[in-house]
Amino acid sequence: MSDSDHHDADTAAFFNELETETKHDYAKCSVSQAFDSVWQCYTLGAQAIHYYRYGEKKDCSVRWDDFKFCMKTKTKSNEEADVSFFFILTLKLKIPIAHD
């Protein structure tokens, strides 16, 4: 096995593991937990501590995006939610989508 074949196998295994973990997170997506995470991020205490430590407002956009994603998938059928999940995963990982 050449070095590039080994590298490709490792890369494929990494992405398979990442996809499995992300699907597991998606499967247990809880709207209430996602909302709590957003709420906690925007609280005065969390913002004050972050501003004191880093001198800037805490960025909660990732938590907000997760909450919106969870809300979108909870209102769709499983098939539509799977398509949305795949699309979000490809955007986050910047994986090129193969066209037929």
Side-chain angles (χ1 to χ4, degrees):
M1 183 189 267
S2 71
D3 193 35
S4 65
D5 291 339
H6 179 54
H7 177 69
D8 291 341
D10 287 344
T11 303
F14 169 75
F15 281 114
N16 286 338
E17 181 181 340
L18 184 63
E19 185 175 348
T20 302
E21 288 177 4
T22 309
K23 280 186 179 178
H24 181 67
D25 291 343
Y26 154 71
K28 62 181 184 174
C29 177
S30 168
V31 175
S32 60
Q33 288 178 347
F35 179 77
D36 288 345
S37 178
V38 171
W39 183 264
Q40 189 278 329
C41 186
Y42 280 114
T43 60
L44 181 60
Q47 289 291 335
I49 289 171
H50 193 273
Y51 189 80
Y52 176 77
R53 289 181 180 165
Y54 305 107
E56 60 186 22
K57 183 184 133 204
K58 188 174 186 178
D59 181 22
C60 301
S61 62
V62 173
R63 293 180 187 199
W64 183 246
D65 289 342
D66 289 343
F67 173 68
K68 289 190 297 186
F69 174 73
C70 191
M71 288 291 289
K72 287 179 187 176
T73 57
K74 292 297 182 180
T75 59
K76 296 181 180 180
S77 69
N78 287 339
E79 293 81 23
E80 290 176 324
D82 288 342
V83 170
S84 295
F85 166 74
F86 175 75
F87 183 70
I88 293 296
L89 179 65
T90 56
L91 286 177
K92 284 186 177 181
L93 297 176
K94 296 181 174 72
I95 300 172
I97 299 173
H99 298 286
D100 293 333

